[in-house]
């Protein structure tokens, strides 16, 4: 009886299987890395910048030279005195 198919894989068959296996594992690794990066970036929520406090704004203005030390102390004591109330 004559067999038309030899049941063996030739040289090109081995090459195709090897290339397919390499491509398969490259795809699996790529998907895993991209999934990990996506999950990691979703866990890191950037915090919004904190609103500057009135004291901080005064310190910055003093540091920039917009107000002098006397003006700084006067405004700082006004801030600590509390809100002004109308009589």
């Amino acid at each position: 009886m004559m067999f038309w198919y030899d049941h063996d894989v030739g040289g090109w068959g081995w090459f195709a299987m090897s290339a397919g296996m390499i491509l398969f594992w490259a795809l699996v690794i790529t998907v895993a890395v991209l999934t990990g990066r996506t999950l990691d970036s979703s866990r890191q929520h950037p915090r919004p910048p904190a609103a500057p406090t009135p004291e901080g704004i005064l310190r910055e203005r003093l540091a920039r030279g917009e107000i002098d030390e006397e003006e700084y102390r006067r405004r700082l004591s006004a801030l600590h005195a509390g809100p002004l109330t109308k009589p």
Side-chain angles (χ1 to χ4, degrees):
M1 182 175 230
M2 186 174 214
F3 292 103
W4 292 101
Y5 299 104
D6 196 18
H7 298 291
D8 283 335
V9 179
W12 285 108
W14 283 108
F15 173 76
M17 282 193 312
S18 300
M21 187 59 68
I22 291 171
L23 290 175
F24 169 76
W25 284 111
L27 179 66
V28 168
I29 291 170
T30 301
V31 168
V33 167
L34 292 177
T35 302
R37 285 184 182 177
T38 302
L39 292 176
D40 187 46
S41 67
S42 66
R43 277 188 246 143
Q44 298 174 356
H45 298 290
R47 293 182 181 168
T53 63
E55 290 88 356
I57 293 171
L58 276 177
R59 278 193 302 273
E60 289 175 10
R61 291 187 65 195
L62 178 65
R64 286 193 298 258
E66 294 176 8
I67 58 174
D68 60 0
E69 188 175 346
E70 181 183 328
E71 180 74 13
Y72 170 78
R73 292 191 188 281
R74 188 176 63 78
R75 290 183 182 216
L76 190 61
S77 66
L79 280 174
H80 290 172
L84 297 176
T85 58
K86 293 184 181 180

